Structures are given as structure tokens and as C-alpha cells.
């Protein structure tokens, strides 16, 4: 077949192709490596035949391109008019993660103190005996110093037994006035039961300024307890002893479950123990080189697990540590 006849046949077929698939077959048939045209081009001996064949090739290629875009456009038009999307159908539901109850109460505490202008810190969990006990004025014979109560790495390093060493770190790092709260894990060698776990969380507060009083401490604790347990809470203090505060107190918050009437959660007393607190002992100021005549301060340390348990009605502390999703999903 000469070039002109070949071209006419191909252009006719291409014009008649009605689907992209058909067009593809035609492209192979007329332009493919084994096509009559390509074989003729390979066998060309004279210039005139070569030019005619090349002109046919270009015309066929153009025709394929033109036909292809018009077929594609037609297909798109058809899809747009025929395919219907029901935008009212519900989407696929993605499983949402939730915050662990401890994280929830941790954030409440952080927000409450940020609102009072406190700095929020996160301190080390491996402490030296010096910071965990000595600088906090623990007596040399204090039972917490024994390896029965405390996890020791060696003679001088422990897993901190409380967040109170943060007080020393911040006092050594910056000059007063200081308003800080430090939140994190603490460790004690307790057997695991429904109410005790060898790891738990505390938040530690320290305020150092001129002429702070017990009234400032009470107001501060009331603020955070209301944030944790509701706006109606009352706070009361019982006297106590801690090596690093004088006087020392234990704050109780009125039970938010029964409103102070007495229930199982508060062991029918109407009150829930929150932790320890007091006015910073002059020896602590001296240990960090501050003049106790010039500066005054208060400190407090409270557990987070109790707060998470009360807010979410979790009777067994182990639930908070075992990471069982079937239980945690409920909070
Ligand atoms: N660290 C004490 C504990 O774990 C709690 C505590 C008591 C913290 C008095 C304080 C404080 O900051 O002033 O039992």
C-alpha cells in the first residue's frame, strides 16, 4: 500500500474509534514497531518515498492525539453528568484517641498554676541522695533513706521518692521571687495493691517571696483543689511533720462525691487527704544560700493518682498503670 492510501485508511479508522481502548489498538496497528508504516520506513531507499511516508506518520500521530483528547473529554463529560455523589452519606468513622486520666489531671493542674503565674517544670527522676534527702533536711536516721523504702542505684543515686528535690533545683537555678510547680513520676518500694503502686505522680509547688504566709498557701491550695474537684470544695489543714517545712500541714479537700456528707470514697469522713504542705523551713533556705530572715515561702506536694481516681471513679490504682485499653477507653 502506498503512503497516501495507508494514511487515508488510518485516518478513517482513527476518526471512527469510539473508545480509548480501540484507539490504543489503532495506534499499535498503524504506528507500532511492527506496523506496515514503520517497516516501510525502515526499508526506504529513495528520498521521495521517505518524505511521503514521514508525512503520513506525522498525520497519523496528530490524528491519534486529537482523537484521544476528544474521547477523554467525552468520557469526563459523561462521568460528570451520570455519576452521582451522595454527599449526605456518613463518612468513614476514624477511631479517636483519648487522653489518659493521669494526663487529664496533669493538664488541669498545669492550667491552674499557669493561671496563677507559676512556672511549670519537669525535673529528673534519677536523683542524688544529696538532693532527695540531705538538702531537704531529712535527718540522717530518717526511714525513707533506707533501701527498704527507696530504690537505690548505688550509695549516692536513687529514684526520687518525691518531687520535693525540684524545690532545691529551682532555688539553686534562680533568685527569688519564685513561683513554680513541678510535675512528674516518683518511686517508692511499696508492694502493688489496690491503693498503692511503686510508681506514682506528684505535683510539687514552691513559692518564695517577701512575707508569704500560711494564708497564701491555703488560698493557693484551694484554687487548685477547686480546679480538680469543682468550685464548691473546701480545704482544711491538719498539723503534721515534714523535714523541709515548718510548720507542716496536711491539706484535706471536702469530698466532691458526697459533698462532705460522708461516703465510701471519703471513708465516711467527708474529707479527702491531698498530700503535704507547709512553710519552707529556714534550714532549706540556708542549704541553698538564701537568708531566711529576708525570704519566706510555702511548698506543697500532692499525688495525681488520687485525683484521677476520684474524677473518674476508679476504685483500683492498678487500672491507671496497666494500660488496658478496655478499661482506659471508658475515661
Ligand atoms: N514530699 C512529701 C511527700 O511525698 C509531700 C510534701 C510535704 C511536699 C510537704 C511538700 C511539702 O512540698 O512542703 O509525702
Amino acid at each position: 500500500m502506498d503512503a497516501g492510501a495507508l494514511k487515508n485508511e488510518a485516518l478513517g479508522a482513527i476518526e471512527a474509534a469510539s473508545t480509548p481502548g480501540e484507539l490504543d489498538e489503532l495506534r499499535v496497528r498503524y504506528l507500532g514497531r511492527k506496523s506496515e508504516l514503520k517497516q516501510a520506513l525502515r526499508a526506504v531507499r529513495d528520498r521521495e518515498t521517505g518524505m511521503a511516508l514521514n508525512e503520513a506518520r506525522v498525520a497519523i500521530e496528530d490524528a491519534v492525539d486529537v482523537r484521544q483528547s476528544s474521547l477523554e473529554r467525552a468520557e469526563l463529560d459523561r462521568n460528570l453528568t451520570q455519576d452521582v455523589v451522595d454527599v449526605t452519606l456518613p463518612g468513614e468513622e476514624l477511631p479517636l484517641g483519648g487522653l489518659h486520666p493521669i494526663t487529664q489531671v496533669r493538664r488541669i493542674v498545669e492550667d491552674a498554676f499557669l493561671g496563677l503565674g507559676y512556672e511549670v517544670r519537669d525535673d529528673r527522676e534519677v536523683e542524688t541522695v544529696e538532693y532527695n534527702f540531705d538538702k531537704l533536711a531529712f535527718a540522717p536516721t530518717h526511714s525513707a533513706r533506707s533501701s527498704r523504702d527507696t530504690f537505690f542505684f548505688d550509695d549516692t543515686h536513687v529514684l526520687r521518692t518525691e518531687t520535693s528535690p525540684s524545690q532545691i533545683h529551682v532555688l539553686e537555678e534562680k533568685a527569688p521571687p519564685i513561683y513554680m510547680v513541678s510535675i512528674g513520676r516518683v518511686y517508692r518500694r511499696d508492694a502493688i495493691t489496690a491503693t498503692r503502686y511503686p510508681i506514682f505522680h506528684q505535683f510539687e509547688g514552691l513559692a518564695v517571696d517577701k512575707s508569704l504566709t500560711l494564708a497564701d498557701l491555703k488560698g493557693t491550695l484551694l484554687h487548685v483543689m477547686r480546679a480538680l474537684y469543682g468550685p464548691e470544695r473546701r480545704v482544711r489543714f491538719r498539723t503534721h511533720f515534714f523535714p523541709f517545712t515548718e510548720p507542716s500541714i496536711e491539706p484535706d479537700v471536702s469530698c466532691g462525691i458526697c459533698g462532705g456528707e460522708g461516703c465510701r470514697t471519703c471513708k465516711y469522713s467527708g474529707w479527702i487527704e491531698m498530700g503535704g504542705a507547709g512553710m519552707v523551713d529556714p534550714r532549706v533556705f540556708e542549704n541553698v544560700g538564701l537568708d531566711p530572715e529576708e525570704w519566706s515561702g510555702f511548698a506543697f506536694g500532692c499525688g495525681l493518682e488520687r485525683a484521677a481516681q476520684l474524677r473518674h471513679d476508679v476504685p483500683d490504682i492498678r487500672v491507671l498503670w496497666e494500660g488496658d485499653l478496655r478499661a482506659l477507653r471508658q475515661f
Side-chain angles (χ1 to χ4, degrees):
M1 208 186 290
D2 77 355
L6 189 62
K7 183 177 86 177
N8 287 340
E9 179 193 310
L11 296 187
I14 288 163
E15 191 54 39
S18 58
T19 65
E22 246 176 71
L23 186 62
D24 245 5
E25 279 171 25
L26 294 174
R27 186 205 311 275
V28 173
R29 173 159 2 131
Y30 291 109
L31 295 169
R33 252 163 22 91
K34 293 185 187 145
S35 62
E36 197 180 335
L37 180 65
K38 289 291 165 76
Q39 282 174 2
L41 271 166
R42 254 174 260 133
V44 155
R45 290 287 171 267
D46 65 291
R47 186 164 176 273
E48 217 165 298
T49 317
M51 276 173 58
L53 286 170
N54 258 323
E55 191 252 331
R57 177 182 59 83
V58 171
I60 297 170
E61 280 172 1
D62 286 350
V64 167
D65 285 349
V66 169
R67 188 72 189 139
Q68 175 154 340
S69 54
S70 86
L71 285 176
E72 278 169 1
R73 201 161 343 103
E75 187 171 294
L76 182 64
D77 282 348
R78 204 167 37 247
N79 288 345
L80 285 175
T81 51
Q82 288 177 0
D83 286 3
V84 179
V85 177
D86 182 354
V87 292
T88 66
L89 283 176
E92 241 173 79
E93 208 173 306
L94 297 174
L96 278 185
L99 293 177
H100 192 281
I102 293 288
T103 307
Q104 294 179 31
V105 291
R106 182 187 180 126
R107 293 199 178 173
I108 291 169
V109 170
E110 284 173 357
D111 285 349
F113 282 104
L114 286 170
L116 291 178
Y118 278 54
E119 163 201 3
V120 175
R121 293 168 59 99
D122 190 6
D123 284 288
R124 64 202 74 170
E125 292 176 22
V126 176
E127 268 300 351
T128 59
V129 166
E130 187 187 8
Y131 281 83
N132 199 81
F133 297 123
D134 299 344
K135 291 198 174 190
L136 287 165
F138 275 74
T141 53
H142 197 290
S143 63
R145 289 180 180 265
S146 91
S147 59
R148 293 233 318 267
D149 288 359
T150 298
F151 293 105
F152 278 78
F153 289 98
D154 54 37
D155 287 348
T156 51
H157 292 85
V158 296
L159 279 171
R160 66 177 176 186
T161 57
E162 53 187 1
T163 41
S164 302
S166 298
Q167 295 186 28
I168 307 296
H169 289 302
V170 72
L171 284 167
E172 288 184 345
E173 279 167 27
K174 56 194 284 186
I178 288 169
Y179 290 88
M180 79 89 188
V181 63
S182 177
I183 313 180
R185 285 183 289 239
V186 301
Y187 302 81
R188 291 184 194 172
R189 287 192 70 169
D190 284 326
I192 296 176
T193 68
T195 55
R196 281 177 194 272
Y197 210 81
I199 318 176
F200 57 100
H201 292 80
Q202 285 186 334
F203 62 92
E204 185 82 15
L206 175 70
V208 177
D209 210 330
K210 309 255 165 161
S211 57
L212 289 175
T213 70
L214 207 57
D216 298 307
L217 170 57
K218 182 171 178 176
T220 305
L221 289 172
L222 189 59
H223 173 71
V224 66
M225 293 315 156
R226 284 180 173 164
L228 277 171
Y229 298 113
E232 314 275 73
R233 302 286 74 75
R234 284 166 292 139
V235 170
R236 76 170 185 188
F237 294 148
R238 286 172 289 102
T239 54
H240 202 74
F241 170 81
F242 295 104
F244 39 91
T245 41
E246 183 59 34
S248 298
I249 52 177
E250 283 197 327
D252 293 342
V253 61
S254 60
C255 180
I257 309 273
C258 60
E261 298 283 298
C263 67
R264 216 166 41 123
T265 304
C266 59
K267 301 202 186 83
Y268 302 97
S269 72
W271 295 93
I272 291 160
E273 265 181 54
M274 288 321 309
M279 302 308 289
V280 177
D281 193 294
R283 281 179 301 171
V284 172
F285 281 140
E286 280 160 12
N287 285 345
V288 296
L290 286 180
D291 180 358
E293 297 296 327
E294 184 184 357
W295 296 102
S296 58
F298 61 77
F300 49 86
C302 304
L304 278 185
E305 272 69 7
R306 168 96 36 100
Q309 286 184 269
L310 287 174
R311 283 183 69 86
H312 295 285
D313 215 2
V314 184
D316 191 322
I317 195 172
R318 286 170 284 205
V319 170
L320 297 175
W321 283 99
E322 282 166 359
D324 183 337
L325 282 178
R326 288 169 303 179
L328 292 176
R329 282 215 176 92
Q330 301 170 42
F331 313 128

